[in-house]
Amino acid sequence: MKKRNAFTLIELLAVIVILAVILVIAIPRILDVIETSKKDSFKNSAQLIADTAEKKKVSDKLLGKDEEITCKDVAKINDEDYASCKITFDSDGIAKVSITGKGKFDGLKITNGTKENAEVKEITKPTYGMKAVEYISNLLEYDGEGLKKDNTPDQNIRYYGANPNNYVSFNNELWRIIGVFRNNVKLVREDSLGSLSWDSSATTINNGRGVNEWRQADLKVYLNVMYYGGTTVTCYGGYKNSTTTCPTNTLDNAAKSLIDNHIWNTGAPNYDTLYDSTTQTLDTVEFYKAERGSVNGKICSSGTYCNDTVTRTTEDIGYIGLPYVTDWAYASSESVCETNMEAQDSSYNYICKNNNWMYGNVKTWYLSPRVRSGYASSVWRVDGGDFAGDYPAAHPLSVFPTLYLKSNVIIESGTGTNTDPYILKAGV
């Protein structure tokens, strides 16, 4: 009998078919095992961080330390694998870890995981063509880099840090995204328009210092009339109706079509009631509430600096406004700024100017009036990016126009860097 020493073509094809069937069955299972292993590793890391953080907190308490505990303090975090990692403690001292993966853990997220339990959530990267509100909200969930939810009752999403990717091309200029506020994205111009009075007045009115009521303020008129592309107005640059040349910048029609005619809150935060001199704390959340509160900027009724008869309001509708002081405070990555806007270090340097992308070393006007006994012209400003205080409205300071986008505006392209800013487009 002749010995056969090779496969026939039919036999070879049969083997190939069998192997293909095995691969079709096996590959998904192998991938599932890999994916499960990846999630388990991510989960274990979060639980280990929580466990170690609790032990460190107990140790620090015994040693009399009261310092913030970070993920890098208690675990070896590879920056290539984690976009963000934050530890908080509840009232019982239980550590809660919120961590967002990247690299090999890309698309995974854990929120408030503990040493006992950490639920891994799969997240997807936002895509172009989404509404700007949805894009930024998804971006927070996806990698969280440079984004956070603030600790106010509204839980706004904000960009923070020294230089986050929040640049946007608007009006053929660079603007920056402050964050998401309800159904609107808020922008602020990257560069100042120049120095102008918030408001000015004749010598006979508040001794020429202006009136701290935004609805009739000279700066509000300039921003919403001339700067918005309307008729020429008078601009002021000093006390007693001292005039100055108006900036020639205007908004084009394409930009104007994206701007929401928005309700601006103009409540007047009162430093005397908000600042705790014992703890040297200017509460950020309470200040935020006051910006949106019902207290107006005039509590005096007579005197050289308080003789105007203007009726104060705490709301105004308009296209262009100014940022709030709390926008500046929350733009810092220093966590203490979420609770104390005027926190200082051991050398008495103000902390909230650190790692803060808003404005640097320029004295800047903000939107809210300030309640101050005996004065009806005080308006909140940030002094050289350093700390919050007030000036008479007639004093000329840097002006950074601020606006809310319509809720249907979409992000069409871009990465948010200053060389590749987001490109906006009107949505349906």
Side-chain angles (χ1 to χ4, degrees):
M1 178 181 288
K2 187 176 180 180
K3 185 177 180 182
R4 190 177 70 171
N5 55 11
F7 288 108
T8 66
L9 179 60
I10 294 175
E11 289 172 330
L12 187 58
L13 288 173
V15 171
I16 292 173
V17 169
I18 293 170
L19 290 175
V21 170
I22 293 173
L23 288 174
V24 168
I25 296 172
I27 287 177
R29 293 186 179 181
I30 293 172
L31 293 176
D32 285 344
V33 170
I34 293 173
E35 185 66 20
T36 299
S37 177
K38 183 173 73 171
K39 289 181 180 179
D40 286 343
S41 178
F42 191 66
K43 176 181 178 180
N44 291 338
S45 295
Q47 290 180 301
L48 179 61
I49 291 171
D51 185 40
T52 310
E54 288 182 12
K55 292 176 181 176
K56 179 170 175 55
K57 189 170 184 65
V58 172
S59 175
D60 285 354
K61 187 175 182 179
L62 292 174
L63 295 173
K65 296 181 180 179
D66 185 20
E67 300 174 350
E68 182 183 9
I69 298 175
T70 69
C71 294
K72 288 189 176 182
D73 291 334
V74 297
K76 293 181 179 179
I77 296 292
N78 188 337
D79 291 338
E80 295 179 357
D81 295 333
Y82 302 97
S84 64
C85 184
K86 185 175 182 179
I87 302 171
T88 58
F89 292 89
D90 65 16
S91 57
D92 297 321
I94 303 298
K96 295 184 177 181
V97 177
S98 294
I99 187 166
T100 304
K102 69 176 182 179
K104 67 182 181 182
F105 294 129
D106 190 37
L108 300 181
K109 185 182 182 73
I110 292 172
T111 303
N112 292 330
T114 67
K115 65 182 181 183
E116 303 294 340
N117 182 49
E119 182 180 352
V120 180
K121 178 182 177 182
E122 293 188 55
I123 52 178
T124 56
K125 187 175 183 178
T127 57
Y128 296 129
M130 296 177 69
K131 291 180 180 179
V133 169
E134 296 172 354
Y135 188 96
I136 296 169
S137 299
N138 281 22
L139 195 60
L140 171 66
E141 288 294 313
Y142 181 69
D143 64 17
E145 188 171 359
L147 285 164
K148 64 181 176 183
K149 278 189 178 180
D150 66 28
N151 60 337
T152 70
D154 297 321
Q155 291 194 300
N156 309 296
I157 299 173
R158 298 179 183 269
Y159 279 95
Y160 72 100
N163 191 31
N165 294 334
N166 62 340
Y167 291 90
V168 60
S169 178
F170 185 82
N171 198 45
N172 295 311
E173 304 165 329
L174 277 181
W175 287 55
R176 302 190 79 167
I177 302 171
I178 295 176
V180 175
F181 299 80
R182 300 184 185 275
N183 295 320
N184 303 94
V185 169
K186 182 156 65 168
L187 305 184
V188 62
R189 195 172 187 266
E190 166 72 345
D191 296 317
S192 169
L193 290 176
S195 293
L196 294 171
S197 299
W198 199 91
D199 188 64
S200 191
S201 60
T203 305
T204 55
I205 299 174
N206 298 336
N207 200 36
R209 293 173 171 235
V211 178
N212 64 0
E213 206 278 320
W214 178 251
R215 185 178 56 175
Q216 58 81 59
D218 296 321
L219 183 54
K220 188 252 180 172
V221 173
Y222 161 70
L223 289 174
N224 285 270
V225 178
M226 185 174 174
Y227 177 68
Y228 191 71
T231 58
T232 299
V233 301
T234 302
C235 289
Y236 297 88
Y239 295 77
K240 303 176 182 179
N241 281 341
S242 176
T243 61
T244 188
T245 302
C246 293
T248 57
N249 311 72
T250 58
L251 297 174
D252 59 34
N253 288 332
K256 288 194 289 186
S257 69
L258 304 179
I259 303 174
D260 186 46
N261 193 18
H262 203 77
I263 296 176
W264 298 81
N265 297 110
T266 55
N270 187 339
Y271 185 88
D272 296 334
T273 59
L274 292 173
Y275 184 73
D276 187 330
S277 58
T278 303
T279 60
Q280 295 184 322
T281 300
L282 183 58
D283 191 296
T284 312
V285 175
E286 292 305 313
F287 199 101
Y288 173 90
K289 293 177 182 177
E291 289 171 334
R292 291 149 183 81
S294 58
V295 176
N296 67 50
K298 188 177 183 181
I299 58 173
C300 52
S301 58
S302 62
T304 304
Y305 303 111
C306 186
N307 63 357
D308 74 76
T309 57
V310 175
T311 300
R312 300 303 198 275
T313 60
T314 54
E315 278 189 355
D316 182 67
I317 297 177
Y319 292 103
I320 312 296
L322 298 171
Y324 292 106
V325 176
T326 51
D327 290 335
W328 165 79
Y330 282 111
S332 172
S333 63
E334 303 291 338
S335 59
V336 67
C337 299
E338 297 181 358
T339 54
N340 182 9
M341 291 166 48
E342 291 201 347
Q344 299 178 43
D345 61 21
S346 57
S347 299
Y348 303 103
N349 297 309
Y350 289 98
I351 294 175
C352 293
K353 66 179 180 180
N354 299 336
N355 299 311
N356 189 322
W357 62 267
M358 288 190 79
Y359 306 148
N361 297 315
V362 293
K363 295 182 179 181
T364 306
W365 277 129
Y366 287 77
L367 186 63
S368 303
R370 172 182 167 176
V371 170
R372 189 175 180 190
S373 180
Y375 294 85
S377 62
S378 293
V379 179
W380 283 95
R381 58 86 169 97
V382 173
D383 195 347
D386 209 5
F387 64 93
D390 73 303
Y391 267 140
H395 195 97
L397 296 179
S398 294
V399 175
F400 291 83
T402 304
L403 56 89
Y404 291 90
L405 295 174
K406 290 179 178 177
S407 59
N408 66 343
V409 172
I410 65 173
I411 291 181
E412 188 175 38
S413 62
T415 57
T417 65
N418 61 350
T419 56
D420 185 29
Y422 288 122
I423 305 299
L424 304 176
K425 181 180 178 181
V428 178

